[in-house]
Amino acid sequence: MGIDFITIELREQVSPYSIADAERTAVGTDGSASLEFNTLANQNYYVVLEHRNSVQTWSAVPLSISNNKINYDFTSASSQAFGSNQILVDSSPLRYAIYNGDVNQSGTVDLTDLILCFNDASHLVSGYVNTDLNGDNFVDITDVTIAFRNTNIFVHTITP
């Protein structure tokens, strides 16, 4: 698997949850990312994680920012995400991950996403594309299976 990218938004803690700041960064192979936000007041913000083929995932609660830094680990428990909107990917060590399969970024993994994956798998598409759900740079039955599973369990973005 190669380098992948995420966008982290910091959103106000009250509706309409306006974006206070956002940064895009590369993600380490261990799922870690380091960002620095320079324009923020020392207050609480929701951390919102966005990825090219995953459902948008919000922190469970607004987090305190101090000196432009927030430390947050989405991987330690499904409850780290708002609505426990994560999937267990490893039991030793214990790790949770955001759901993927939202190829068209509609907020829901549905039949449209499944069809997009199936079509690209049928055409042997390769490279850094949204339909490559497992990150191996090839769209194949493995990616279709992920989209199918997440369609069947009605994966969607959960927000405050």
Side-chain angles (χ1 to χ4, degrees):
M1 293 191 210
I3 294 175
D4 210 345
F5 297 89
I6 58 170
T7 299
I8 299 291
E9 296 175 348
L10 297 182
R11 291 187 174 241
E12 301 288 339
Q13 62 181 333
V14 294
S15 182
Y17 311 105
S18 300
I19 298 172
D21 203 349
E23 295 288 332
R24 183 171 167 81
T25 189
V27 178
T29 54
D30 64 353
S32 66
S34 180
L35 301 128
E36 190 165 319
F37 297 94
N38 297 313
T39 60
L40 299 171
N42 287 342
Q43 61 184 43
N44 294 342
Y45 298 95
Y46 279 104
V47 175
V48 180
L49 194 152
E50 295 182 344
H51 177 260
R52 66 189 167 103
N53 61 20
S54 300
V55 295
Q56 183 186 66
T57 304
W58 291 54
S59 60
V61 296
L63 303 166
S64 175
I65 186 166
S66 179
N67 298 321
N68 295 323
K69 294 181 182 177
I70 291 176
N71 290 317
Y72 198 69
D73 183 0
F74 277 95
T75 67
S76 62
S78 66
S79 61
Q80 292 293 94
F82 194 88
S84 295
N85 198 23
Q86 295 192 103
I87 185 171
L88 179 65
V89 293
D90 198 351
S91 57
S92 183
L94 188 66
R95 287 186 309 158
Y96 288 83
I98 61 174
Y99 282 105
N100 66 353
D102 188 11
V103 174
N104 64 359
Q105 294 296 282
S106 67
T108 302
V109 183
D110 57 20
L111 186 57
T112 302
D113 302 298
L114 179 58
I115 290 169
L116 290 167
C117 287
F118 181 82
N119 286 344
D120 281 2
S122 298
H123 292 97
L124 306 175
V125 171
S126 63
Y128 186 76
V129 295
N130 288 1
T131 49
D132 175 23
L133 301 183
N134 69 350
D136 66 359
N137 289 321
F138 296 99
V139 183
D140 56 20
I141 193 65
T142 305
D143 305 298
V144 173
T145 302
I146 293 169
F148 181 77
R149 178 196 67 219
N150 289 344
T151 297
N152 280 339
I153 62 172
F154 305 103
V155 168
H156 62 282
T157 299
I158 300 175
T159 63

